[in-house]
């Protein structure tokens, strides 16, 4: 039996162990032990262990194998998000401002939206199990969050301060660069599921730079370029 034949079963097992905050090396050991048993006995994972989530919940782990994320590490995760949001907001605000010859107004609603998004990200990371086990509720929450983020700048459009397009673009570019640097440093916190024999990551990214461009440290830069180009076109076509 090979792992790929029952990938879904092992993926569900790994997910449940992640939700238990078990460290990647211990998860790799557990997967290797289950795989070895199935290969020796000829049983499928379901025949040998039953439901993958129930099996993962039943596994005992020694002290120190559960990951405890201190406040400093949460800050390292959220810092690139905050910097990216600032850079994205300022750069996309500067694009139409340049075309229209006006200042960039930073409204209170936009600042509130950024704070709400950072807070929601933190809450989602801390309550990931609930979101995954109750997907309908999770989708409703995400939909509600999107509505709040869109409406806040519209309903609370009072300017907090104004910047020249050049100042906004420079500040935004610096913030985006900072988000990339901080995002790369945050990668040090990654806890991959490793094979205990080879030491290789069992779940390496298959898309390389594309994954980093759309979901990694370059995400806000990619979004800024795409949305900025769209806003530039709209500002030129619709004066």
């Amino acid at each position: 039996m090979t792992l790929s034949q029952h990938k879904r079963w092992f993926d569900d097992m790994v997910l449940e162990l992640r939700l238990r905050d078990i460290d990647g090396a211990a998860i790799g050991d557990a997967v290797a032990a289950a795989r070895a048993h199935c290969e020796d006995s000829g049983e499928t994972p379901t025949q040998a262990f039953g439901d993958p989530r129930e099996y993962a919940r039943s596994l005992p782990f020694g002290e120190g194998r559960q990951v405890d994320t201190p406040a400093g590490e949460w800050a390292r995760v959220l810092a690139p998000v905050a910097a990216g949001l600032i850079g994205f907001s300022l750069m996309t605000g500067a694009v139409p401002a340049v075309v229209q010859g006006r200042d960039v107004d930073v409204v209170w609603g936009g600042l509130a939206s950024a704070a709400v998004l950072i807070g929601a990200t933190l809450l989602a990371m801390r309550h990931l199990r609930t979101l995954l086990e109750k997907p309908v509720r999770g989708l409703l929450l995400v939909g509600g969050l999107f509505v709040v983020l869109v409406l806040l700048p519209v309903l609370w459009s009072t300017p907090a301060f104004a910047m020249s397009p050049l100042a906004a673009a420079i500040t935004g570019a610096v913030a985006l660069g900072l988000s990339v640097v901080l995002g790369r440093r945050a990668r040090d916190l990654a806890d991959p599921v490793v094979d205990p024999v080879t030491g290789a990551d069992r779940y390496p990214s298959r898309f390389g730079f594309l994954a980093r461009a759309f979901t990694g440290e370059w995400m806000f830069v990619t979004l800024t370029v795409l949305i900025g180009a769209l806003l530039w076109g709209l500002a030129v076509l619709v004066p």
Side-chain angles (χ1 to χ4, degrees), residues 20-23 26 29 59-67:
R20 285 183 60 189
D21 292 326
I22 305 301
D23 72 65
D29 290 342
L59 289 174
F61 289 92
E63 196 170 332
R65 302 320 298 261
Q66 195 165 22
V67 179

Side-chain angles (χ1 to χ4, degrees), residues 25-47:
I27 294 174
D29 290 342
V31 170
R35 174 181 172 179
H37 173 86
C38 292
E39 289 176 341
D40 291 341
S41 67
E43 296 176 298
T44 67
T46 302
Q47 290 171 337

Side-chain angles (χ1 to χ4, degrees), residues 19-204:
L19 292 174
R20 285 183 60 189
D21 292 326
I22 305 301
D23 72 65
I27 294 174
D29 290 342
V31 170
R35 174 181 172 179
H37 173 86
C38 292
E39 289 176 341
D40 291 341
S41 67
E43 296 176 298
T44 67
T46 302
Q47 290 171 337
F49 306 111
D51 180 77
R53 291 188 174 87
E54 291 295 332
Y55 175 65
R57 292 188 190 111
S58 72
L59 289 174
F61 289 92
E63 196 170 332
R65 302 320 298 261
Q66 195 165 22
V67 179
D68 182 24
T69 307
E73 290 190 1
W74 283 114
R76 286 181 64 186
V77 171
L78 292 175
V81 176
L85 283 172
I86 293 170
F88 172 79
S89 300
L90 291 177
M91 291 290 283
T92 53
V95 168
V98 167
V99 177
Q100 297 165 2
R102 58 174 177 80
D103 286 343
V104 179
D105 289 327
V106 178
V107 301
W108 284 111
L111 298 175
S113 288
V116 168
L117 183 56
I118 292 171
T121 302
L122 179 59
L123 285 173
M125 293 167 71
R126 295 182 70 90
H127 299 282
L128 187 58
R129 176 185 290 278
T130 302
L131 295 176
L132 292 175
E133 290 182 346
K134 299 178 179 178
V136 175
R137 181 181 297 180
L139 285 173
L140 289 174
L141 288 172
V142 170
L145 175 64
F146 179 77
V147 172
V148 169
L149 295 178
V150 170
L151 287 181
L152 269 174
V154 175
L155 299 177
W156 195 6
S157 58
T158 306
F161 57 89
M163 303 176 70
S164 71
L166 179 60
I170 292 174
T171 306
V174 170
L176 287 175
L178 187 60
S179 76
V180 173
V181 172
L182 293 175
R184 284 183 173 176
R185 290 182 179 176
R187 268 199 272 162
D188 296 340
L189 300 175
D191 182 28
V193 177
V194 296
D195 188 297
V197 177
T198 65
D201 187 349
R202 286 192 178 276
Y203 294 91

